[in-house]
Amino acid sequence: MHPEKEQDGLYTINHHLNDGTYKAFVDITPKKKAYQAAPNTVQVGTNETGKAALKPDDDWTKEMDGKTVTLEDVKAEAGKAVPLNFNMHGETPEPHLGALGHVVIVDEAAEQYIHVHPDSDDTTTFHAHFPKQGMYKIWAEFQFGDKVHIYSFIIEVSK
């Protein structure tokens, strides 16, 4: 989700959350400051919920509002550059926030946050580095027309 700027230094998101325990990452780049996205626990109501248990996807083709995207076969190894190739099935996404797409990845424990951009201005291929083995959820964001579509995938990263 992308926040709306209220004033200098103040950004907000208005989004309904059910009661539960969440982890949120604030992905910003402050001018002239070092910053690394880290998980922030958010408790809504009193119902504390457990950690996610991810299972690898068996369907690599996702459709949303008539736009289909396929994540091509991924052989993910920890510590190596892993190509994430998205097949757009003949469609070309429009630039969104300065790129043809954005990919955000979070590990199963919601401790590792990875944000990658396409390899170039005219491709939907990304390279990610996974710090350790385990399960990861990928959110790929592409804009078609005036609407941003988010496609999610779950992969297993080996040693």
Side-chain angles (χ1 to χ4, degrees), residues 24-139:
F25 292 85
V26 179
D27 185 3
I28 60 172
T29 308
K31 291 180 182 178
K32 299 181 184 179
K33 296 194 184 243
Y35 177 82
Q36 185 172 7
N40 297 284
T41 300
V42 177
Q43 181 63 46
V44 177
T46 58
N47 181 28
E48 291 188 28
T49 50
K51 295 181 179 179
L54 300 178
K55 294 181 181 166
D57 263 328
D58 56 1
D59 183 6
W60 300 103
T61 299
K62 310 288 175 144
E63 187 272 332
M64 179 174 289
D65 297 331
K67 303 298 181 188
T68 302
V69 170
T70 299
L71 175 59
E72 301 294 340
D73 191 34
V74 177
K75 301 283 190 238
E77 290 185 53
K80 296 189 176 179
V82 176
L84 302 174
N85 299 304
F86 293 93
N87 179 340
M88 299 283 129
H89 298 272
E91 299 276 346
T92 301
E94 296 176 15
H96 172 60
L97 299 174
L100 280 187
H102 295 265
V103 169
V104 170
I105 306 166
V106 176
D107 70 321
E108 186 171 41
E111 296 295 329
Q112 300 292 320
Y113 174 87
I114 305 161
H115 183 166
V116 292
H117 293 110
D119 290 348
S120 70
D121 290 341
D122 60 353
T123 186
T124 54
T125 297
F126 302 71
H127 275 82
H129 288 80
F130 297 90
K132 60 183 181 177
Q133 76 178 62
M135 302 300 293
Y136 289 81
K137 187 160 185 175
I138 299 169
W139 290 271

